[in-house]
Amino acid sequence: MSAVLLKHKLLSPCLRLASTASSTFKYEDLEISLNATPQAKPDNDKLVFGHHFSDHMLTVDWVAGRGWTRPYIHPVQDLRLHPGAKVLHYAVELFEGMKAYRCADGKVRIFRPLENMKRMCSSAERSSLPDFDGGELVKCIKKLISIDSEWVPQSNKCSLYIRPTFIGTEPTLGVTTSSQAKLYVLTGPVGPYYPTGFKPVTLLADPQYVRAWPGGCGMYKMGANYAPTIQIQKVAAGQGCQQVLWLFGDDHQLTEVGTMNLFVYWINEQGEEELLTPPLNGLILPGVTRKSLLELAREWKEFKVSEKEINMKQLVKALNENRVKEIFGAGTACVVCPVEKILYKGQELNIPTMVDAKLTNRFFGQLTDIQYGRTPHPWSEVV
């Protein structure tokens, strides 16, 4: 198949997230090769999260001393990697998770993409991977989505998942900065993350398992943060739990829920109605959904909103005093996920989230209204 080279003018100014980069790839240099044999689209009611991929992908390569190649949209294909590539031995890898939505007006919109780019650039720096202009990548991603726009589901329960990934590809062994790298983006239609829908989950809170620690990489979206959690998820399932509540420290601080940020809605010891989530202290991934919920709650000005540490002793005390209203996780995949029980030290703690689920439902409704274009909002960008 012959490649079709298309040049695109910059249509609007875009935030440069990599202002210190000496070089970066440019949207105006984008090259496109279209798939001559598109796939059949899966039925929306048969979508399994992460199992389906669109017809095209975006790739950009980098080599030390030469910089970035042209960004290239082409049919999805296998990667060719030397078996000595650093990503395979030292986990020089990071990724992002984003979504695009078929909105009420028929247009396709993507949710807060520049927030993901900020986090991706931060993860790249921590991984010693090259800097790039996140604004340029967003433009390339929007073009990729527009080419595969028929893959964006016509449904208010489904969406197009977007997975930017960045790996070190230098074919040499040795724990050093990779002199070669590949940035690529896959997309694919997804249904609800939990097939059972908006149902509460039970969490295993076992202090012997730790997700992140001070000075570590818990605040970055690296694949290496996730591999060690898979076995613990199986441990949780063996005890009748759907997710892990990650604890840290001698006082058993609550940090995250599975791969989601944690929120507690309660009456604090000062008698104030309060929504709190653990602070971005290096242990917590700076979630885009987390940030969005905090900003919505602060706009409402109906209760106190805090980013502060909370430990299991404080939570158990509040439960015994009937001060806890709701606990839920929040993330791109599921938006919000209510919690109904926590298994801690052999004791089952009942969380009254679903007695009312007032705040959980409100957050889910308002955020999905923005994402699906039912409520106009600057967070939702037209592709």
Side-chain angles (χ1 to χ4, degrees), residues 343-363:
L343 183 59
Y344 175 62
K345 292 185 174 180
Q347 180 183 4
E348 193 172 80
L349 306 176
N350 291 306
I351 313 300
T353 303
M354 300 311 290
V355 171
D356 187 10
K358 176 182 176 181
L359 190 58
T360 305
N361 282 318
R362 185 179 180 185
F363 274 139

Side-chain angles (χ1 to χ4, degrees), residues 127-277:
S127 302
S128 196
L129 286 168
D131 205 354
F132 63 94
D133 188 323
E136 294 298 313
L137 180 55
V138 167
K139 292 174 186 176
C140 293
I141 289 174
K142 286 183 176 181
K143 186 63 181 179
L144 175 65
I145 295 169
S146 70
I147 290 172
D148 280 336
S149 61
E150 292 184 3
W151 284 89
V152 185
Q154 299 271 2
S155 169
N156 60 6
K157 293 183 179 179
C158 303
S159 56
L160 186 79
Y161 191 73
I162 307 161
R163 173 52 63 90
T165 307
F166 201 5
I167 61 175
T169 56
E170 180 187 346
T172 60
L173 302 182
V175 187
T176 58
T177 297
S178 182
S179 65
Q180 299 175 29
K182 179 182 289 289
L183 192 161
Y184 64 92
V185 182
L186 293 169
T187 68
V190 296
Y193 189 75
Y194 296 109
T196 54
F198 192 75
K199 291 187 177 181
V201 297
T202 298
L203 310 178
L204 173 65
D206 189 333
Q208 72 174 304
Y209 305 118
V210 178
R211 191 197 78 89
W213 49 90
C217 299
M219 63 183 290
Y220 305 103
K221 203 163 181 64
M222 301 173 175
N225 284 337
Y226 294 82
T229 71
I230 296 171
Q231 176 62 25
I232 313 310
Q233 176 65 36
K234 291 171 64 177
V235 171
Q239 299 186 45
C241 302
Q242 290 78 47
Q243 290 288 347
V244 178
L245 173 57
W246 299 102
L247 306 177
F248 174 77
D250 294 337
D251 60 349
H252 300 171
Q253 295 173 33
L254 288 72
T255 61
E256 293 193 354
V257 178
T259 59
M260 300 176 286
N261 292 120
L262 171 73
F263 284 83
V264 177
Y265 179 45
W266 68 351
I267 303 298
N268 63 28
E269 292 191 335
Q270 290 71 47
E272 301 168 304
E273 190 176 352
E274 181 180 40
L275 174 70
L276 70 85
T277 189

Side-chain angles (χ1 to χ4, degrees), residues 9-148:
K9 294 183 178 180
L10 303 184
L11 300 179
S12 61
C14 188
L15 175 64
R16 181 173 177 82
L17 302 173
S19 58
T20 60
S22 57
S23 63
T24 187
F25 54 86
K26 297 286 188 178
Y27 170 73
E28 61 185 3
D29 295 327
L30 180 63
E31 185 178 354
I32 300 173
S33 179
L34 297 178
N35 191 335
T37 56
Q39 307 171 68
K41 312 299 185 294
D43 295 336
N44 289 342
D45 58 359
K46 295 182 180 179
L47 290 175
V48 179
F49 196 95
H51 283 228
H52 306 277
F53 296 97
S54 309
D55 288 318
H56 298 88
M57 65 188 294
L58 169 72
T59 59
V60 201
D61 291 298
W62 176 88
V63 178
R66 290 163 51 190
W68 290 97
T69 63
R70 295 177 183 271
Y72 182 31
I73 291 175
H74 56 85
V76 173
Q77 62 188 40
D78 293 341
L79 300 180
R80 295 185 61 185
L81 293 175
H82 188 280
K86 289 191 184 294
V87 62
L88 302 177
H89 299 269
Y90 312 114
V92 183
E93 185 268 1
L94 59 96
F95 65 95
E96 276 298 325
M98 310 157 63
K99 284 183 177 179
Y101 304 84
R102 179 80 60 184
C103 294
D105 59 2
K107 295 180 180 178
V108 175
R109 290 180 172 84
I110 187 171
F111 185 73
R112 306 196 79 173
L114 290 176
E115 293 297 328
N116 291 93
M117 292 300 101
K118 290 175 185 176
R119 188 170 65 185
M120 191 170 182
C121 289
S122 176
S123 296
E125 181 180 16
R126 188 66 170 86
S127 302
S128 196
L129 286 168
D131 205 354
F132 63 94
D133 188 323
E136 294 298 313
L137 180 55
V138 167
K139 292 174 186 176
C140 293
I141 289 174
K142 286 183 176 181
K143 186 63 181 179
L144 175 65
I145 295 169
S146 70
I147 290 172
D148 280 336

